[in-house]
Amino acid sequence: NYKQGRLSENDCPEKPLELFTQWLKEAVTSNCDEPNSFTLSTLKEGRPAARILLLKAVSETGLTFFTNYLSPKGKQLSSQPFASATFLWLPLERQIRVEGLVEKVSSQESDEYFNRRPYGSRIGSLASPQGEVVESREFLEKKFREFTAKYPEGSVIPRPENWGGYILKPQLIEFWQGRENRLHDRVQYSQGTQGWTKRRLAP
């Protein structure tokens, strides 16, 4: 039985990203493991493909994450620019599902985030052809050493053109709070021409 909390549609704000931000902050302060991790689901030739990513920013517009544009997920988003994100915080017995349109963020925003990354992560972005078949671990380590020699720590490392951010612009968001006897609380927001519509779903 889930007994950590409850969720009433009457107490939910009119804008779902306000509640999303509140729940994310509570996940952080509750010491949930990797509270900004989520499952990103995309479409691959009409079939679902999913992997775990890290959320890097939340704004009134949507949820931002970064990756290699030429990776499998990047190619899938290029051909089908829609995705869903699923967050799970077990200690709080909570889940959020987000569905919507995905767009690239500006080059400036990608540059700013790339330059904030740790040195090794920036070198890794240059060295790794993400998602492609490589001959061995040694191949990757060799590429890493080559770029380390080319860009010593403290030097300016250019952001690869094929690396940057995406923003998931929500069209549907569902908040799930575990309750006793499997009578969970589910509140769904859907976006229409007049704004957000909020309703309760059966568990």
Side-chain angles (χ1 to χ4, degrees), residues 125-173:
S125 298
L126 292 168
S128 174
Q130 191 178 95
E132 295 183 13
V133 176
V134 293
E135 58 192 54
S136 64
R137 171 78 187 186
E138 287 70 26
F139 168 84
L140 293 173
E141 293 177 346
K142 179 182 178 183
K143 297 292 289 185
F144 189 89
R145 288 193 299 270
E146 290 173 356
F147 281 108
T148 299
K150 184 175 182 180
Y151 301 107
E153 193 160 2
S155 62
V156 176
I157 303 173
R159 175 179 64 87
E161 292 184 1
N162 62 330
W163 191 96
Y166 289 100
I167 184 166
L168 171 58
K169 296 182 175 182
Q171 296 171 331
L172 182 147
I173 303 184

Side-chain angles (χ1 to χ4, degrees), residues 92-149:
L92 298 176
E93 299 171 353
R94 287 175 174 173
Q95 174 184 262
I96 300 178
R97 294 194 311 109
V98 184
E99 299 176 5
L101 178 69
V102 179
E103 298 176 355
K104 289 182 180 179
V105 303
S106 67
S107 296
Q108 179 182 352
E109 187 172 349
S110 290
D111 287 341
E112 289 174 353
Y113 175 71
F114 183 79
N115 291 329
R116 292 198 303 269
R117 302 184 86 202
Y119 170 74
S121 297
R122 284 177 284 157
I123 293 294
S125 298
L126 292 168
S128 174
Q130 191 178 95
E132 295 183 13
V133 176
V134 293
E135 58 192 54
S136 64
R137 171 78 187 186
E138 287 70 26
F139 168 84
L140 293 173
E141 293 177 346
K142 179 182 178 183
K143 297 292 289 185
F144 189 89
R145 288 193 299 270
E146 290 173 356
F147 281 108
T148 299

Side-chain angles (χ1 to χ4, degrees), residues 24-146:
L24 178 60
K25 289 180 179 178
E26 291 174 4
V28 171
T29 57
S30 298
N31 295 318
C32 293
D33 290 336
E34 297 288 359
N36 62 327
S37 65
F38 68 98
T39 300
L40 179 74
S41 300
T42 54
L43 288 172
K44 178 183 179 182
E45 299 176 352
R47 297 186 179 187
R51 74 291 289 161
I52 305 297
L53 298 181
L54 295 178
L55 177 69
K56 293 302 180 180
V58 184
S59 68
E60 293 182 356
T61 307
L63 315 179
T64 300
F65 59 93
F66 293 84
T67 189
N68 188 315
Y69 292 144
L70 298 181
S71 66
K73 60 182 169 294
K75 294 176 181 177
Q76 290 155 18
L77 289 172
S78 177
S79 62
Q80 296 282 338
F82 297 92
S84 67
T86 306
F87 295 80
L88 177 64
W89 299 304
L90 283 175
L92 298 176
E93 299 171 353
R94 287 175 174 173
Q95 174 184 262
I96 300 178
R97 294 194 311 109
V98 184
E99 299 176 5
L101 178 69
V102 179
E103 298 176 355
K104 289 182 180 179
V105 303
S106 67
S107 296
Q108 179 182 352
E109 187 172 349
S110 290
D111 287 341
E112 289 174 353
Y113 175 71
F114 183 79
N115 291 329
R116 292 198 303 269
R117 302 184 86 202
Y119 170 74
S121 297
R122 284 177 284 157
I123 293 294
S125 298
L126 292 168
S128 174
Q130 191 178 95
E132 295 183 13
V133 176
V134 293
E135 58 192 54
S136 64
R137 171 78 187 186
E138 287 70 26
F139 168 84
L140 293 173
E141 293 177 346
K142 179 182 178 183
K143 297 292 289 185
F144 189 89
R145 288 193 299 270
E146 290 173 356

Side-chain angles (χ1 to χ4, degrees), residues 16 170-173 188-193 195-199:
Q171 296 171 331
L172 182 147
I173 303 184
Q188 183 190 86
Y189 291 79
S190 56
Q191 191 175 49
T193 56
W196 289 100
T197 299
K198 179 176 51 176
R199 55 191 177 183

